[in-house]
Amino acid sequence: MKKILNIVIAFVIAFSAVGCKDYFDINYDPNIPATENITNSMILPGVEGALATSYGDFLRITGGYFSEHYAQTFGTSNYVGYSQFSMSASQSSRLYTQLFQKVLVNSKTIMDRAVESKNYGDYIAAASLFAFTYQTLVDCYGEVPYTQAFDSDQYMAPAYDNGDVVYNGILATLDDALAKVGDGQPVAKNLLYPGGNSTDWIKFANTVKLKILSRMSKVSNSQAALDALIAEDNFITSDAQYAGCWANAETQASPFYSEEFAPWHSQDNVVANAALVAAMQFDTYTDPRLGVWFKKNNSGKYVGAISGCNLGSTASSPYNSAAGLCRPNITFDTPVSLISVAEVEFFKSEYYAGKDNAKAEEHYKKAIKASFASAGLTEDDAEENIEMYPFDKDNSNECIGIAKWIALSGCNNFESWCELRRLGYPEFGPVKGSDLWTGTDVSTSAVNALIPGTIYTPYQVFAQVGEGNVLERWPYADSSQSRNSNCPQFPGYTTPVFWAK
C-alpha cells in the first residue's frame, strides 16, 4: 500500500484546505502531507480534476472533429489533422499518461484503501471513475494494459488486454462495489457530488454500467445483465457533470474554455461543422439548441465550415473570415459532462426497440426532451424537434443514432464519436468534402444539398482512413509504445474496436 501511495503522492492536493476553484489552480503548491496522513478526501478530487481536464478538453475537441460536429476555422491549421480523421501516436500520449497515472492509479489506490477500511462509499465513487476511465481508453485504443497494469514489481511491461476483457473486468468491479455499498453512506470529499453520498454514486455507477452493457450488447452475451439493470431502473436523474467548479481565471476555468475561448488563449480553431448545421437548420426549421450551443456569425446566421481544410482567403463571403463562421458557445463555467439523462433515455430506447416499440418510442421522446431540458429549453421546443426527427420502429438504429449525434453535439462530443461507430449513424451522404470545398471556394449549392442527419468524407481525408470511412481507433500512445515492449502492432485506423465489429 505504501508503495502505491508513493506513486499517488505526487498528484495529491490538500483539498480540505482549499476551495473547489482553488483546487483547479495548477500553480497552487500545498505542503504535501506524510504518506500515512493522506486521506481519500485528498486523493479523490485529484482523480476527478485529471479526468475533467482530459475528458472535457482533448476528448471533447477530437470527438467533435471525428463526429463532424466541429470543423476548422478560417486561417488556422492547428487541428486540421483531426478534421481529416487523423490521430497520431504522439498526439494522444499526454491524455493516455494522465488517465493512467492520475486517474486509474489513484482510483485504484482509493479502492484498495476503502476495501481495507470497509469504507464502501469511497469504494463506489472510485470504482465508478475507474470503470468510466477504462471504458474511455478502450473506446479510443481498442486494447490497453489491464490485468497486469497495476503490479509494476512483477510486470514492468504489462500485456495489453483485448477490449472485451477490460469491459468484463470493469463490469465485475462495478458489480462488486454495488454489492458492497448501501444507500446513504458517506463519501470522501469530491467534485461530482459535493453535497451527496453513496446514493448519488450508486446511480452514477449503474449509469456507467448501462453504457458499458449497451455498448457491448451486440457482440457479447450481456442480455441478462442488461435486462436486470433496466428492470432496476436506478440511474441518474440529472446530468452527471462537473459544474460549479470553475472560476474565470487562467488556471481555474472550464478546460475547453481555457483551451479555445479564453482571453488568455492565442488562437481560435473550433467552429461548427456544415454537417451539423445542416442537421439542425433546414427548410423553415431551426433547432433551438443550435442557438444555445453555438453563436451566430457576424451576420446573425449559423454557418458551418468544411472538414479536412481550413478554407482560405479565396473563399467567398461568409467563409472568407473567421467571423463569418459559428463558434461553440463556451464560457468559463461550462460544465464538463460525463453522461447525461438524455443518453440514459437513448440507451433505454435502443433496449426496447424491436421488443416493445411503444416503450422504445416513449424513451426516444424522453431522450430528446431531456436534451432540450439540459439546454435550458422547454418540452414544447422539443416536440417540434420530435416531429422533424420522429421515432422509426423499422429503422431504430438510424433515428436513435442521428438524434443522439445531434443531442451530444452540445455536451459530449467524444461519446458521439463512439456511438457513431457503434450504431453506424449518421451515415455518409452523397455530398463529399471535395464537393463542398473546391480548393479555392465553398460551393453553396453543395452545402445546401447536404442531407440533414448525414456526414461527409472530409475534403482531404487521412489516407489510411480513406473515403467513406470514419476513424475507428487511435494508434497506441507513444508514451506506452516507448516504455512497453509488449505493446502490440497497431491493427490499423479502420479496424473497429471490439464492440463495433
Side-chain angles (χ1 to χ4, degrees):
M1 181 66 68
K2 288 187 177 181
K3 181 168 287 190
I4 295 175
L5 284 175
N6 286 336
I7 298 172
V8 172
I9 198 168
F11 309 116
V12 169
I13 298 290
F15 180 74
S16 59
V18 296
C20 177
K21 294 180 179 66
D22 293 321
Y23 169 75
F24 283 101
D25 187 343
I26 61 173
N27 294 318
Y28 180 80
D29 185 19
N31 294 321
I32 294 186
T35 300
E36 61 271 18
N37 293 329
I38 294 174
T39 66
N40 290 344
S41 288
M42 296 175 181
I43 305 172
L44 185 54
V47 169
E48 295 179 284
L51 176 59
T53 54
S54 296
Y55 198 78
D57 182 20
F58 186 77
L59 287 171
R60 177 162 190 169
I61 290 170
T62 55
Y65 279 103
F66 300 151
S67 299
E68 292 195 342
H69 293 152
Y70 299 151
Q72 190 67 18
T73 191
F74 167 88
T76 59
S77 58
N78 280 14
Y79 301 150
V80 169
Y82 300 149
S83 79
Q84 296 170 347
F85 296 172
S86 171
M87 172 64 74
S88 72
S90 61
Q91 286 170 319
S92 70
S93 281
R94 182 178 177 183
L95 170 99
Y96 180 88
T97 299
Q98 175 140 312
L99 291 183
F100 252 103
Q101 293 183 353
K102 296 187 179 183
V103 180
L104 293 179
V105 169
N106 292 4
S107 296
K108 182 69 163 55
T109 296
I110 296 171
M111 290 160 62
D112 291 343
R113 289 161 56 96
V115 169
E116 194 173 273
S117 63
K118 294 183 171 53
N119 185 344
Y120 296 124
D122 290 3
Y123 186 52
I124 189 71
S128 299
L129 296 172
F130 182 85
F132 184 95
T133 302
Y134 247 127
Q135 180 182 29
T136 299
L137 288 167
V138 169
D139 295 347
C140 290
Y141 297 101
E143 302 79 35
V144 289
Y146 176 70
T147 54
Q148 300 177 0
F150 302 101
D151 188 350
S152 58
D153 288 341
Q154 187 172 355
Y155 302 108
M156 293 298 293
Y160 276 61
D161 292 287
N162 290 333
D164 59 335
V165 173
V166 182
Y167 261 50
N168 284 312
I170 58 179
L171 279 173
T173 296
L174 288 173
D175 285 341
D176 183 56
L178 288 164
K180 284 181 165 68
V181 71
D183 283 325
Q185 295 183 8
V187 178
K189 289 183 180 180
N190 65 89
L191 308 178
L192 191 60
Y193 298 110
N197 55 40
S198 63
T199 301
D200 301 295
W201 284 97
I202 289 169
K203 292 178 183 295
F204 179 70
N206 279 325
T207 307
V208 174
K209 186 176 175 182
L210 174 66
K211 181 157 70 86
I212 293 168
L213 287 169
S214 297
R215 196 155 285 168
M216 66 192 294
S217 61
K218 291 179 173 60
V219 295
S220 68
N221 186 18
S222 58
Q223 191 60 47
L226 194 52
D227 290 344
L229 190 66
I230 293 287
E232 184 183 3
D233 197 23
N234 189 24
F235 305 114
I236 58 169
T237 54
S238 59
D239 295 346
Q241 58 186 11
Y242 290 111
C245 295
W246 317 107
N248 196 9
E250 187 167 351
T251 55
Q252 300 172 22
S254 187
F256 191 27
Y257 176 83
S258 290
E259 181 75 23
E260 273 291 308
F261 305 94
W264 54 83
H265 176 73
S266 61
Q267 191 175 54
D268 297 337
N269 296 285
V270 179
V271 294
N273 196 299
L276 181 64
V277 174
M280 300 187 76
Q281 180 177 257
F282 54 91
D283 299 332
T284 61
Y285 175 71
T286 298
D287 189 323
R289 293 172 295 180
L290 185 59
V292 176
W293 295 336
F294 291 90
K295 297 178 180 180
K296 292 181 178 179
N297 71 357
N298 58 354
S299 298
K301 298 179 179 179
Y302 298 110
V303 177
I306 313 303
S307 288
C309 64
N310 65 345
L311 304 179
S313 59
T314 59
S316 53
S317 179
Y319 300 95
N320 59 358
S321 73
L325 302 167
C326 294
R327 295 271 278 160
N329 188 19
I330 304 298
T331 60
F332 77 87
D333 55 354
T334 293
V336 173
S337 176
L338 297 185
I339 191 164
S340 63
V341 174
E343 290 172 81
V344 173
E345 294 299 331
F346 278 125
F347 283 130
K348 288 181 179 179
S349 179
E350 182 185 346
Y351 170 81
Y352 284 112
K355 295 192 287 284
D356 186 334
N357 287 320
K359 280 191 176 181
E361 182 173 10
E362 173 192 346
H363 288 291
Y364 176 82
K365 291 178 178 179
K366 284 183 176 181
I368 293 175
K369 290 176 181 178
S371 174
F372 273 73
S374 295
L377 299 166
T378 68
E379 282 201 10
D380 288 340
D381 294 323
E383 289 290 354
E384 186 178 7
N385 182 266
I386 292 168
E387 290 179 13
M388 303 306 295
Y389 287 102
F391 181 75
D392 182 352
K393 64 182 178 62
D394 296 319
N395 298 283
S396 59
N397 270 7
E398 180 177 4
C399 67
I400 291 170
I402 293 171
K404 184 181 283 191
W405 174 71
I406 294 172
L408 292 175
S409 66
C411 63
N412 203 326
N413 312 84
F414 173 75
E415 296 299 334
S416 180
W417 174 54
C418 295
E419 292 297 272
L420 189 158
R421 289 180 285 157
R422 183 178 71 90
L423 295 172
Y425 294 96
E427 291 184 305
F428 287 91
V431 176
K432 300 177 184 178
S434 55
D435 300 321
L436 297 165
W437 173 246
T438 66
T440 57
D441 204 355
V442 173
S443 169
T444 54
S445 62
V447 172
N448 292 334
L450 283 167
I451 298 172
T454 64
I455 57 175
Y456 57 90
T457 296
Y459 168 70
Q460 289 185 337
V461 64
F462 182 45
Q464 294 185 60
V465 173
E467 185 175 319
N469 297 311
V470 296
L471 177 68
E472 294 283 355
R473 62 162 68 216
W474 298 357
Y476 306 119
D478 264 350
S479 53
S480 181
Q481 291 188 47
S482 61
R483 300 172 187 171
N484 189 342
S485 59
N486 284 323
C487 183
Q489 183 177 352
F490 178 52
Y493 292 91
T494 57
T495 301
V497 300
F498 85 98
W499 44 253
K501 292 180 179 177

